[in-house]
Amino acid sequence: MTIESIMQLVGQCAFPIVMCICMFKHMTETSKENTDSINKLCNKIDMLLDRDKRE
């Protein structure tokens, strides 16, 4: 293998690998934000249901 072919292989593989890592990081952050939002909604629903039970 020549240096050029190695550089071409790294160039072809490195970009997709880096993009996958970036997308995984973004998806992890998004998933955490969604989980937090769902938990807030559940708490709000629980508060509303508890209020209705008392009335």
Side-chain angles (χ1 to χ4, degrees), residues 6 10 30 36 40 48:
I6 293 172
V10 168
T30 302
D36 291 343
K40 288 177 184 177
L48 291 171

Side-chain angles (χ1 to χ4, degrees), residues 3-4 8 13 16 22-24 26-28 32 35 40-41 43 48 50 54:
I3 294 294
E4 290 83 22
Q8 184 179 14
C13 294
C22 289
M23 287 187 342
F24 178 76
H26 179 71
M27 291 300 294
T28 302
K32 184 186 177 316
T35 300
K40 288 177 184 177
L41 284 171
N43 289 338
L48 291 171
D50 285 345
R54 284 183 265 147

Side-chain angles (χ1 to χ4, degrees), residues 37-51:
S37 295
I38 290 171
N39 284 334
K40 288 177 184 177
L41 284 171
C42 287
N43 289 338
K44 186 69 171 179
I45 290 170
D46 286 343
M47 285 174 39
L48 291 171
L49 289 174
D50 285 345
R51 187 183 68 185

